Structure formats: structure tokens, C-alpha cells
């Protein structure tokens, strides 16, 4: 018996899938190669402007990521809301859910270009293009670094007006379900008395899931939620734990996943 | 059974604080590998257990030896025993 086929069941047509992959991978290679070629000129420009190496690298990364998201819009349209909540010069810790490597490019939708990412150890060592760039941008390595050192670096960044971006799940979700949140960035928020802004990402795990190399055309939504003040949880036995749970509840509600 | 009550208190307190699923709370569950708790969570675990059982954990260094939930349970039983011993001597 032949069942009627629906567009949802079929997914994107083969032609569209091939076109999307040629387009998205092609632009990724071109944009990355062009950025690599232009990097010396960009750093020279930064020097002339009196920027630090880290600021120059962060500005460059932001523009590169923003450009790439624009280039792939024909196949991966992006819907953004609430990003005005993280304005330049208003330091905060942004907590994002993590489904895909594309999530890192989404940081370019934060209006502030001075973004310092909290990163695990392996990307510094294994990512050919981004590892050295992350070192230049003074991103904070969260594994194998002492808690005091991380706190000091984070405090310095927030004091200088940077936005800290972290993925509290610690790894990309394989099934789109929100994972358990680690306490690290919430501890930083309570220790440094910095607000936490939830950056809710929907759809990136469908477009480019963990472990896949195939772009599946479709929309990505990015919603920046209102900031949470860690001072609200000062009376709790474990203030950063209470903050973590509250932020996670916001994600669960926004992702429509209920509890767990 | 007292042990079951203590087990229930331990698992409830940890599951609530660290947002773990009830089915994960089995004695052989490894704290780091299976439950995904990190060093910061281990520090928080002391506060969670102290709050749940209303006592002060003196031997915090011993917590570093803990590998599984069964170890946590054993640690709590020993601590309660010590607390009761101290109370009897006082």
C-alpha cells in the first residue's frame, strides 16, 4: 500500500539539500579563507586604531560570523528577537543552549562586538582555524584552569565592559533536548554580581546536528530573554544553584520542553 | 527502614539541586561520569547534604574519595554515626 507523502515527512528535496550544502559549505570555505587572507590587514587596522590584539580579534570574529549568517540566509533564515537587551557597554553573562557549531556564529547577533567566550579545552587545541583565533581573542579556557584564575579573568573582562558568553550544558545536545546545566557561569555571575541573559536558540540542531556534516535547510530562531539579577538569590543556601535552576526553567519554558 | 529513609533524602536532595532524573539515582551511578557532576558541584554537594541532614560535615577531604552514590550513602551513614556518638558523649 502506498501511503500519501507529506512535505514534512519528505524533508527538503534532494536538489534543495544539495544546493544548500554547496551554498553553505562554499561560503564557509570562502568566508574563512578570505578572513584568513585579510587577517594581517585587519590586525594592522586594529593597531592603527589603538585596539588591543584581543579586541581586534573579537571585532574580526564578530564581523566574520555576522557575514556568514547573512550569506547562508537563503537556506538558513534567521529570526532574532530581544538582542537589544544586551547593548554595547552593558556587561553581562550570556548563557546559551547548545545544539550545533552554528551556535557560535549566532553570537554575532548580540549587538556588542566585545564578546569573550568561555570555552572548554579541546577547541583551543583541535580547531585548526579557530584555536589560534580564540587564543588571540583571549577567550577563557574553562578546563584545566583553576577556579580563581577563571574568576579573575572573567572579572577583568566584565570590568572592561565585555560580554561573557557561555554554554552551560557544556556540550552540544544530540537530540535537541536541553541538557543539565553546569554551575560554572552561574558561580561567576554570583561572585561578580553580573546579570545573566538567557540566549535561547531554536533550530540550529536541526540545521546542523552534532556529528553531522550535512546542512538541512530551515530556520533558526534566536531569542534573548530578560536579564536575571543574581542578587535575587542571595538568600539561598547555594545562590548560584538557585540562579542556575531559574535560568534553566526559562530555557525549558521557551523551548517548550517542560521540566526535564 | 532507616537506611531507605536516608537514601531517599540523599537522592531527593541531590536530584533537586542538580536537576537529575529519578532514574539516574541508583547506588552504582558514578558521580562524575554518570551524573555529570563537576568539581564545583562536589563543593555544592557538601552544602546540599548538610542542609538535608542538618549537620556539619567535618571531614570534607573524605568527600574527594567518593565515586558513586553508594559511596555518598556510606559517607552519610558514617557521619550520622559519628554525630550520634558525639551527642551520646556530650
Amino acid at each position: 500500500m502506498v501511503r500519501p507523502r507529506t512535505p514534512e515527512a519528505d524533508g527538503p528535496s534532494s536538489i534543495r539539500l544539495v544546493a544548500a550544502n554547496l551554498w553553505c559549505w562554499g561560503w564557509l570555505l570562502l568566508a574563512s579563507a578570505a578572513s584568513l587572507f585579510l587577517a594581517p590587514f585587519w590586525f594592522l587596522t586594529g593597531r592603527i586604531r589603538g585596539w588591543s590584539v584581543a579586541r581586534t580579534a573579537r571585532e574580526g570574529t564578530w564581523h566574520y560570523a555576522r557575514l556568514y549568517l547573512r550569506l547562508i540566509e537563503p537556506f538558513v533564515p534567521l529570526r532574532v528577537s530581544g538582542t537589544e537587551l544586551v547593548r554595547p557597554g552593558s556587561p553581562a553573562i550570556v548563557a546559551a543552549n547548545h545544539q550545533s557549531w552554528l551556535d557560535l556564529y549566532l553570537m554575532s547577533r548580540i549587538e556588542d562586538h566585545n564578546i569573550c567566550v568561555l570555552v572548554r579545552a579541546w577547541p583551543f587545541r583541535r580547531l585548526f582555524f579557530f584555536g589560534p583565533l580564540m587564543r588571540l581573542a583571549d577567550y577563557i579556557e574553562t578546563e584545566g584552569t583553576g577556579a580563581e584564575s577563571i574568576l579573575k579573568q572573567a572579572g577583568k573582562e566584565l570590568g572592561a565592559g565585555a560580554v561573557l558568553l557561555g554554554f552551560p550544558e557544556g556540550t552540544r545536545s544530540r537530540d535537541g533536548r536541553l541538557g543539565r546545566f553546569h554551575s560554572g557561569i552561574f558561580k561567576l555571575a554570583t561572585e561578580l554580581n553580573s546579570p545573566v541573559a538567557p540566549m535561547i536558540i531554536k533550530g540550529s540542531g536541526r540545521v546542523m546536528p552534532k556529528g553531522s556534516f550535512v546542512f538541512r535547510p530551515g530556520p533558526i530562531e534566536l531569542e534573548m530573554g530578560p536579564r536575571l539579577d543574581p542578587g535575587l538569590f542571595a538568600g539561598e543556601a547555594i545562590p548560584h544553584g538557585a540562579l542556575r535552576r531559574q535560568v534553566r526553567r526559562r530555557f525549558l519554558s521557551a523551548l517548550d520542553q517542560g521540566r526535564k | 527502614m532507616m537506611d531507605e529513609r536516608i537514601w531517599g533524602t540523599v537522592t531527593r536532595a541531590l536530584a533537586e539541586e542538580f536537576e537529575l532524573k529519578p532514574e539516574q539515582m541508583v547506588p552504582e551511578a558514578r558521580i562524575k561520569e554518570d551524573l555529570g557532576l563537576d568539581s564545583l558541584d562536589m563543593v555544592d554537594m557538601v552544602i546540599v547534604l548538610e542542609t538535608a541532614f542538618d549537620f556539619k560535615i567535618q571531614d570534607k577531604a573524605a568527600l574527594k574519595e567518593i565515586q558513586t552514590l553508594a559511596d555518598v550513602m556510606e559517607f552519610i551513614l558514617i557521619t550520622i554515626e559519628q554525630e550520634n556518638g558525639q551527642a551520646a558523649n556530650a
Side-chain angles (χ1 to χ4, degrees):
Chain A
M1 189 178 134
V2 178
R3 288 184 187 164
R5 291 163 74 94
T6 61
E8 290 77 15
D10 285 348
S13 70
S14 303
I15 294 171
R16 187 166 157 75
L17 195 64
V18 170
N21 277 276
L22 287 173
W23 184 267
C24 296
W25 281 115
W27 278 122
L28 184 71
L29 289 173
L30 271 175
S32 303
S35 301
L36 211 55
F37 176 74
L38 292 172
F41 304 103
W42 179 257
F43 278 95
L44 190 64
T45 309
R47 201 178 167 85
I48 292 165
R49 287 183 173 185
W51 291 350
S52 67
V53 171
R55 178 163 178 206
T56 311
R58 288 176 193 178
E59 288 276 350
T61 307
W62 188 92
H63 286 288
Y64 157 77
R66 183 101 166 189
L67 171 70
Y68 182 62
L69 289 180
R70 277 196 193 284
L71 289 169
I72 63 170
E73 277 221 20
F75 290 100
V76 186
L78 187 61
R79 286 197 287 268
V80 179
S81 63
T83 48
E84 71 281 358
L85 294 170
V86 180
R87 282 188 294 270
S90 55
I93 296 177
V94 173
N97 58 316
H98 203 10
Q99 303 173 1
S100 166
W101 56 259
L102 280 170
D103 299 340
L104 270 171
Y105 287 77
L106 296 173
M107 75 175 173
S108 65
R109 297 312 303 246
I110 297 172
E111 293 307 318
D112 198 330
H113 302 191
N114 186 12
I115 300 166
C116 175
V117 188
L118 296 147
V119 191
R120 292 176 65 189
W122 72 265
F124 280 104
R125 288 157 184 68
R126 290 201 217 148
L127 293 182
F128 156 73
F129 178 64
F130 291 104
L133 186 64
M134 290 192 299
R135 291 255 177 251
L136 289 173
D138 268 354
Y139 286 176
I140 299 174
E141 189 174 330
T142 57
E143 282 176 330
T145 313
E148 280 301 316
S149 171
I150 294 172
L151 186 64
K152 201 172 153 189
Q153 287 178 69
K156 195 177 126 203
E157 292 295 343
L158 288 170
V163 168
L164 291 184
L165 170 67
F167 298 95
E169 291 164 282
T171 187
R172 287 167 288 165
S173 167
R174 280 199 181 271
D175 59 3
R177 304 289 300 172
L178 191 68
R180 201 179 81 77
F181 276 11
H182 291 270
S183 293
I185 62 169
F186 305 103
K187 179 79 174 168
L188 289 179
T190 49
E191 293 281 329
L192 301 168
N193 196 27
S194 170
V196 175
M199 185 166 113
I200 298 137
I201 301 166
K202 298 177 190 172
S204 65
R206 207 195 58 78
V207 172
M208 176 55 74
K210 184 176 183 176
S212 171
F213 293 98
V214 179
F215 276 92
R216 299 187 68 83
I220 295 177
E221 283 179 54
L222 188 156
E223 178 191 333
M224 191 70 75
R227 298 162 174 227
L228 265 155
D229 179 1
L232 295 170
F233 307 93
E236 300 284 342
I238 305 173
H240 60 266
L243 175 64
R244 184 196 69 227
R245 286 195 298 277
Q246 183 61 32
V247 172
R248 190 166 183 273
R249 274 196 285 272
R250 286 202 175 173
F251 274 92
L252 288 169
S253 166
L255 294 167
D256 202 21
Q257 290 185 1
R259 271 190 74 80
K260 304 275 177 196
Chain B
M1 286 280 289
M2 190 192 174
D3 285 6
E4 277 180 19
R5 215 173 58 233
I6 292 172
W7 173 251
T9 307
V10 168
T11 53
R12 221 174 13 256
L14 296 182
E16 194 177 313
E17 176 60 35
F18 300 115
E19 295 174 281
L20 300 164
K21 294 170 188 162
E23 60 267 27
Q24 289 179 284
M25 309 308 282
V26 290
E28 60 273 19
R30 293 169 299 171
I31 303 288
K32 287 181 183 161
E33 295 85 351
D34 300 329
L35 303 183
L37 303 192
D38 55 27
S39 54
L40 182 54
D41 295 325
M42 293 300 279
V43 176
D44 293 343
M45 190 198 284
V46 175
I47 302 168
V48 172
L49 295 174
E50 284 180 342
T51 308
F53 290 98
D54 194 26
F55 58 45
K56 203 89 189 138
I57 294 172
Q58 307 294 341
D59 189 9
K60 292 186 173 67
L63 275 167
K64 287 183 182 163
E65 306 298 319
I66 282 175
Q67 304 281 329
T68 64
L69 278 182
D71 296 341
V72 177
M73 179 69 182
E74 196 184 327
F75 177 83
I76 291 295
L77 288 173
I78 292 169
T79 309
I80 288 173
E81 214 169 274
Q82 286 170 349
E83 285 275 316
N84 290 341
Q86 281 171 9
N89 291 335

